[in-house]
Amino acid sequence: MSLAPEYLTYPQRSYGMDHDRYDWSMLADRKAVLWPGEARLALWINVSLQFFPMNQQGVPFPPPGGMTMPYPDLRHFTLRDYGNRVGIFRVLEALRSRGLNASFAVNGQLAERTPALVKELAGIGEIIAHGWNMDTPHYGGLDRDTEQKQVADSLAALRDLSGQAVRGWLSPGRNESEHTPELLAEHGVDYLCDWVNDEMPYPFRTSKGPLTALPLSTELEDRFVIQNNLHSESSWQEQVCDACDLLLGEAESRGGRLLTLSLHPWLIGQPHRIGKLEAVLDYILAKDIWSAHPSDIVARWQAQQ
Amino acid sequence: MAEPAVMKEDPGYYAYWPYRNRPALRWPNNARVAFWVAPNIEFYEFNPPTNPQRKAWPQPYPAIQGYGIRDYGNRVGHQRQMELLDKYGIRGSISLSTALCDHHPEIIAMCAERNWEFFSHGIYNTRYTYGMSESQERDMIRDSIQSIHQHTGQSCAGYLAPALSHSEHTLDLFAEVGSELFGDDAGFYTCDLFHDDQPTPISLRSGKRFVSIPYSLEMNDTIAFVVNKVEPRRYGQMLKDCFDRLYAEGEKSGTVMCIPTHNYQVSCPHRLKAFEEALEYITGHNDVWVATGREIAGHYLDHCYEDALADIEQKETEAAA
């Protein structure tokens, strides 16, 4: 019994990362970043608008929040559709009444299905591309031409309907193939929100030109905390408030910090949950924050590098 | 393919030795609890070779989510946790993926400067022991101990197998390689066994004096947050409850509490507060010995090990009679 010799050789064992996508860098060692008005904390709220097809293929894995029952899974199809019909309007009102900015990450196919909604969102905040639908994941081994079409179609649908340049990208289920960053760079994307390895923007390499990685926290996301971890709504509220306090404290000596809130209207827009979002927003709003669109955060950061 | 033809029913490392009526265990200054924090500082590879028995990542390469959050631990989480341990006067006992000495020497330097302990957690946390021959595992362990010595000057005292992947020989090999390299000054404790709240002697094929140190796996942040999906503030409460009980019982005979952490779990902004409250609470008690794994194992081997062996033997004889 033994393993192949390659299992005990370590070709990447040297300084820095074991890949070329970005450089090794510790947050605490970086130059302080100043946000507008010397706010200590930038707040980025991202609301994901998603289409989960009922004929889900699940190749090579099903999307988080996708169908789980035998076809036709009316239960999950309609529960997700609820977010785009009902939940989103509760979320929008919570933001509007507090004067908060947000981005909307929209599946390309949802833009086709609900053009009026996307036009309305484009008038409110920044549109980010969120792939074609939740069942078209970007993954290792995906054919490059297929992926190229998904990227192109998603961006075209959203740019056309929103009238915005659409420079940001969040992959469905946050999965990527080995080609995704190059394809995004080729299609006019400037910043990428899939990676969760930092709390501030950082430079990201592709062979087709540089991107900026703008991490959107999964650990604090409504879906991850409430649906994946099965924590209570109250606990989610506490967790966001605790995170807000910690980052504010750190910003006192280390420069501006970034709090990201990733929201799903099909989950947080439910009647028993929306109040927790409102309470979270009230708590954060009372602090020294800059409520910003993601492209403004990237631009502000970039100007200081 | 990789499992031995005959699997053992019991690993055979220790005899049954009931917790009650053991000889009283005394810590320095009559402390009731020996308390240690074991930050796992790990390197997970983006594209590791495949192990026949365990997948490193759930998705095909590139699995950016799992890789990314672990990288977050080193980029963001480490210094946050380190500052907190500094604040409460705790020296970490690092369970180290030793390739991190090459990838991120800045982290090693910061910890060495604080006189933290480094012990071996394998080379990468994406290289599992499953399927290795004895000589392959021996080479991997030797490489990890040598890396620690080369980069920190420390002779590695403890072991926690990479990703808790073991073979039947893991503890034997660790003890033997430790002796080959540094005599009795290396390879004398393990964190891999969770059978007790006190240190216990471990019998190995070499007969080396070797001890298991409680690593409190239920208090491990990854077990709490990822496996058991515990809410952050409840985790803080669990730590306090665990401590309270061990502190009370430690009045009669000393106990050990460990908090095994990961810089990508406990250092997240929404979790650090509850962890800090627990550290403040625990270190606010008088009769706590804030120690490292090596110090706990060393004290036990020097002052308690022989009494324990004698008591175990006597109780086994009584039980057989």
Side-chain angles (χ1 to χ4, degrees):
Chain A
M1 181 183 77
S2 67
L3 297 177
E6 70 180 28
Y7 203 79
L8 285 102
T9 52
Y10 312 100
Q12 303 290 330
R13 191 176 177 182
S14 57
Y15 184 78
M17 305 311 300
D18 58 343
H19 58 81
D20 298 326
R21 286 296 189 196
Y22 52 80
D23 290 335
W24 158 239
S25 153
M26 280 187 283
L27 176 62
D29 296 344
R30 290 179 218 152
K31 189 173 80 172
V33 171
L34 279 181
W35 300 131
E38 299 189 10
R40 285 191 284 160
L41 193 61
L43 171 67
W44 168 30
I45 299 169
N46 180 71
V47 185
S48 291
L49 283 298
Q50 304 177 321
F51 175 58
F52 292 86
M54 192 165 71
N55 58 344
Q56 176 177 293
Q57 305 301 300
V59 177
F61 35 71
M67 308 297 112
T68 62
M69 309 290 284
Y71 179 86
D73 186 351
L74 290 176
R75 170 180 147 194
H76 289 102
F77 180 84
T78 55
L79 267 172
R80 301 300 168 256
D81 202 26
Y82 175 94
N84 303 326
R85 297 168 63 93
V86 181
I88 181 62
F89 297 103
R90 294 200 180 106
V91 173
L92 290 179
E93 180 54 23
L95 298 173
R96 187 202 61 78
S97 59
R98 290 166 181 80
L100 288 166
N101 288 315
S103 62
F104 303 98
V106 185
N107 288 153
Q109 195 182 359
L110 187 76
E112 269 194 359
R113 291 169 57 92
T114 60
L117 174 62
V118 175
K119 282 182 183 162
E120 181 177 346
L121 296 175
I124 298 170
E126 180 175 346
I127 302 294
I128 290 178
H130 192 25
W132 184 244
N133 68 43
M134 296 309 289
D135 194 32
T136 55
H138 301 246
Y139 60 92
L142 175 62
D143 170 68
R144 197 180 195 280
D145 291 341
T146 305
E147 184 176 12
Q148 194 278 132
K149 185 170 184 324
Q150 287 170 358
V151 169
D153 288 353
S154 307
L155 285 163
L158 290 168
R159 284 170 177 159
D160 181 42
L161 268 170
S162 70
Q164 294 187 12
V166 186
R167 301 289 194 194
W169 178 273
L170 177 68
S171 296
R174 293 161 175 258
N175 286 288
E176 291 181 3
S177 80
E178 52 272 68
H179 306 301
T180 308
E182 274 72 24
L183 289 169
L184 298 178
E186 283 179 327
H187 287 81
V189 168
D190 292 337
Y191 68 92
L192 167 67
C193 313
D194 293 334
W195 286 70
V196 290
N197 58 328
D198 214 304
E199 285 175 0
M200 291 288 279
Y202 66 90
F204 193 95
R205 267 182 220 106
T206 88
S207 63
K208 306 293 180 186
L211 296 172
T212 296
L214 180 65
L216 177 65
S217 171
T218 297
E219 295 282 337
L220 207 51
E221 173 179 285
D222 58 354
R223 187 202 61 79
F224 186 76
V225 172
I226 294 172
Q227 191 186 63
N228 182 77
N229 290 346
L230 300 173
H231 296 176
S232 69
E233 287 75 17
S234 305
S235 177
W236 179 72
Q237 181 186 336
E238 279 173 355
Q239 291 178 48
V240 178
C241 295
D242 284 353
C244 177
D245 289 344
L246 187 115
L247 293 170
L248 278 167
E250 202 166 281
E252 273 179 32
S253 56
R254 296 274 165 77
R257 285 289 182 259
L258 171 62
L259 175 65
T260 67
L261 269 191
S262 170
L263 304 175
H264 296 77
W266 52 262
L267 188 118
I268 203 70
Q270 289 280 351
H272 61 295
R273 296 200 181 103
I274 191 71
K276 301 301 182 197
L277 173 63
E278 291 165 350
V280 158
L281 297 178
D282 285 338
Y283 185 88
I284 298 171
L285 203 51
K287 311 285 181 180
D288 181 16
I289 64 146
W290 172 45
S291 169
H293 289 134
S295 59
D296 294 331
I297 293 169
V298 170
R300 191 79 190 185
W301 168 80
Q302 215 149 31
Q304 297 174 60
Q305 298 309 299
Chain B
M1 160 201 166
E3 286 161 356
V6 180
M7 291 188 273
K8 296 179 183 176
E9 187 175 72
D10 179 307
Y13 291 132
Y14 50 82
Y16 179 68
W17 187 37
Y19 184 50
R20 67 176 176 212
N21 298 329
R22 289 180 186 170
L25 202 167
R26 295 287 166 227
W27 295 127
N29 301 314
N30 274 324
R32 300 181 185 193
V33 178
F35 174 65
W36 64 304
V37 177
N40 285 271
I41 304 187
E42 299 170 331
F43 200 101
Y44 284 73
E45 296 161 285
F46 202 18
N47 197 11
T50 306
N51 182 284
Q53 290 189 52
R54 181 166 161 184
K55 276 172 79 172
W57 301 116
Q59 301 91 3
Y61 170 83
I64 68 168
Q65 291 303 304
Y67 179 86
I69 192 65
R70 285 163 180 83
D71 182 32
Y72 167 95
N74 294 326
R75 288 167 77 88
V76 180
H78 170 69
Q79 293 203 49
R80 214 171 254 164
Q81 185 184 174
M82 189 177 69
E83 285 167 15
L84 204 58
L85 297 187
D86 282 351
K87 184 175 170 184
Y88 293 99
I90 299 164
R91 285 158 51 224
S93 306
I94 300 166
S95 163
L96 182 68
S97 294
T98 61
L100 198 120
C101 298
D102 304 295
H103 290 288
H104 303 332
E106 298 89 346
I107 290 180
I108 302 298
M110 282 185 270
C111 299
E113 196 177 292
R114 287 165 169 76
N115 195 24
W116 285 17
E117 179 191 342
F118 299 87
F119 66 86
S120 172
H121 189 30
I123 297 174
Y124 284 109
N125 221 35
T126 36
R127 304 276 180 136
Y128 309 120
T129 309
Y130 308 122
M132 285 186 190
S133 68
E134 195 172 325
S135 81
Q136 287 177 325
E137 187 177 8
R138 183 186 289 274
D139 288 347
M140 181 273 285
I141 289 172
R142 181 183 289 108
D143 182 330
S144 72
I145 296 178
Q146 285 173 328
S147 295
I148 287 175
H149 186 254
Q150 183 192 335
H151 289 90
T152 72
Q154 293 188 18
S155 46
C156 170
Y159 196 65
L160 179 71
L164 299 187
S165 65
H166 303 101
S167 75
E168 287 183 352
H169 309 294
T170 299
L171 301 187
D172 289 313
L173 292 171
F174 173 64
E176 289 162 19
V177 174
S179 294
E180 284 163 28
L181 293 171
F182 303 106
D184 288 344
D185 196 40
F188 57 80
Y189 80 89
T190 178
C191 309
D192 288 289
L193 309 175
F194 312 112
H195 57 297
D196 220 291
D197 287 328
Q198 293 181 318
T200 56
I202 295 300
S203 36
L204 299 177
R205 65 188 181 190
S206 62
K208 181 174 179 175
R209 297 167 87 248
F210 191 89
V211 62
S212 166
I213 298 297
Y215 176 74
S216 313
L217 195 67
E218 294 268 336
M219 300 297 113
N220 182 308
D221 58 353
T222 301
I223 301 298
F225 292 131
V226 180
V227 180
N228 296 333
K229 302 191 185 305
V230 165
E231 296 172 350
R233 291 194 187 186
R234 187 179 149 219
Y235 177 63
Q237 189 60 47
M238 284 164 53
L239 295 173
K240 292 180 195 173
D241 290 347
C242 175
F243 173 78
D244 281 344
R245 178 54 57 121
L246 292 171
Y247 192 76
E249 292 179 1
E251 189 181 7
K252 282 189 178 166
S253 179
T255 53
V256 179
M257 176 172 171
C258 181
I259 307 182
T261 65
H262 295 76
N263 46 30
Y264 61 93
Q265 293 292 347
V266 83
S267 301
C268 288
H270 57 300
R271 297 196 179 118
L272 206 68
K273 178 181 173 179
F275 178 60
E276 172 163 12
E277 285 173 359
L279 292 182
E280 186 174 17
Y281 180 79
I282 291 167
T283 57
H285 285 69
N286 285 329
D287 296 327
V288 177
W289 179 32
V290 179
T292 64
R294 170 184 267 270
E295 288 165 353
I296 295 167
H299 178 91
Y300 189 84
L301 285 167
D302 290 346
H303 302 285
C304 319
Y305 181 85
E306 313 301 339
D307 288 350
L309 284 186
D311 190 59
I312 292 165
E313 194 182 335
Q314 186 191 332
K315 283 175 177 155
E316 280 196 309
T317 311
E318 284 168 10

